[in-house]
């Protein structure tokens, strides 16, 4: 029995397990910052809904949608629990909703730059296996953050980009589209499954990430 246990221990893909754990942590960091910043932007514009529902938190458990997290790893596309926003609190509802929506992707781009900054410091000031692991985590999480930010700028409901685009429409058209935005998720899932535009998005993520990396390396 001990021989089987020893063989399993020696042959187990510990590097793969560690990589998966780091990826989970990276996804949680990116999604948590994204959703928290939606709530902070809404609060700054006068909407206390997210604060009342304890969504202004860096605790990932307040934001995780377990189905969305599983989808992230199985399909490369996932989501967190949307931060509740009541646009009736905004002085200019459409503009307020657009700013609140943009706060999520903007936070991901800023997070990516911060992670790359610390990755550059790690590369310059530290050495050894631990430093290499930290460096890999920081760089890979930065890439995830760029990807999440750009993906959410796609103007398809319920992604953030749609709320910005819809803000340019007349009032009647805006509120009509907002009422039907829940059906956009089905369209989005179909497009992801068919890989429509996936190549363009991947190219955009690569270019933005490399531009950011060039600022620090």
């Amino acid at each position: 029995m001990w021989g089987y246990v020893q063989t399993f221990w020696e042959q187990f893909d510990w590097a793969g397990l560690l990589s998966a754990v780091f990826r989970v942590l990276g996804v949680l960091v990116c999604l948590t910052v994204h959703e928290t910043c939606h709530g902070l932007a809404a609060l700054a514009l006068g909407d206390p809904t997210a604060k009342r529902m304890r969504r202004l938190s860096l605790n990932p458990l307040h934001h995780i949608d377990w189905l969305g997290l599983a989808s992230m790893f199985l399909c490369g596309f996932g989501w967190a629990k949307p931060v509740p926003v009541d646009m009736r609190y905004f002085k200019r509802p459409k503009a307020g909703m657009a700013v609140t929506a943009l706060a999520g992707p903007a936070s991901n781009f800023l997070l990516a730059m911060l992670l790359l900054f610390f990755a550059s410091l790690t590369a310059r000031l530290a050495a050894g296996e631990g430093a290499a692991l930290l460096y890999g985590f920081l760089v890979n999480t930065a890439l995830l953050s760029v990807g999440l930010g750009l993906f959410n700028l796609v103007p398809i409901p319920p992604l953030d980009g749609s709320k910005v685009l819809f803000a340019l429409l007349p009032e009647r058209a805006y509120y009509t589209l907002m009422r039907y935005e829940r059906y956009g998720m089905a369209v989005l899932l179909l497009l992801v499954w068919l890989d429509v535009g996936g190549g363009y998005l991947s190219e955009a993520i690569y270019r933005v990430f490399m531009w950011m990396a060039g600022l620090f390396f």
Side-chain angles (χ1 to χ4, degrees):
M1 178 65 180
W2 173 248
Y4 286 113
V5 172
Q6 187 175 17
T7 300
F8 172 80
W9 184 269
E10 292 173 352
Q11 295 182 354
F12 188 80
D13 184 10
W14 295 106
L17 176 62
L18 185 62
S19 177
V21 170
F22 279 176
R23 181 171 174 81
V24 170
L25 290 175
V27 169
L28 291 178
V29 168
C30 296
L31 289 176
T32 298
V33 169
H34 182 101
E35 296 300 331
T36 299
C37 287
H38 277 318
L40 289 172
L43 181 64
L45 293 169
D47 176 17
T49 307
K51 182 178 180 181
R52 285 202 305 263
M53 298 186 71
R54 300 179 62 197
R55 295 298 302 277
L56 302 185
S57 171
L58 292 178
N59 181 351
L61 295 178
H62 291 176
H63 306 286
I64 289 176
D65 181 304
W66 294 106
L67 180 60
L69 185 63
S71 177
M72 174 73 77
F73 293 101
L74 295 174
C75 309
F77 156 74
W79 57 89
K81 288 191 294 187
V83 166
V85 176
D86 189 342
M87 59 194 299
R88 292 174 297 180
Y89 283 102
F90 300 148
K91 292 181 180 179
R92 299 173 58 199
K94 289 198 302 180
M97 199 67 187
V99 171
T100 299
L102 276 176
S107 72
N108 285 125
F109 298 139
L110 291 174
L111 174 63
M113 295 183 74
L114 184 64
L115 291 167
L116 287 169
F117 169 72
F118 282 114
S120 68
L121 288 182
T122 301
R124 294 182 185 125
L125 303 178
E129 186 175 345
L133 289 172
L134 176 60
Y135 175 83
F137 171 74
L138 293 170
V139 170
N140 288 329
T141 304
L143 180 59
L144 284 171
S145 198
V146 170
L148 182 63
L150 285 177
F151 178 75
N152 271 278
L153 287 177
V154 174
I156 298 175
L159 298 180
D160 300 323
S162 67
K163 295 177 175 65
V164 178
L165 181 64
F166 290 175
L168 303 176
L169 299 174
E171 296 284 326
R172 185 173 180 179
Y174 177 82
Y175 288 107
T176 298
L177 287 171
M178 289 292 284
R179 280 200 300 271
Y180 291 102
E181 78 166 350
R182 63 183 180 276
Y183 298 112
M185 180 61 77
V187 175
L188 194 59
L189 287 170
L190 179 62
L191 292 176
V192 170
W193 183 66
L194 295 174
D195 195 28
V196 176
Y200 295 107
L201 181 60
S202 296
E203 179 68 16
I205 292 170
Y206 172 77
R207 289 183 179 274
V208 171
F209 176 78
M210 292 305 295
W211 174 79
M212 287 184 179
L215 297 175
F216 302 103
F217 292 94

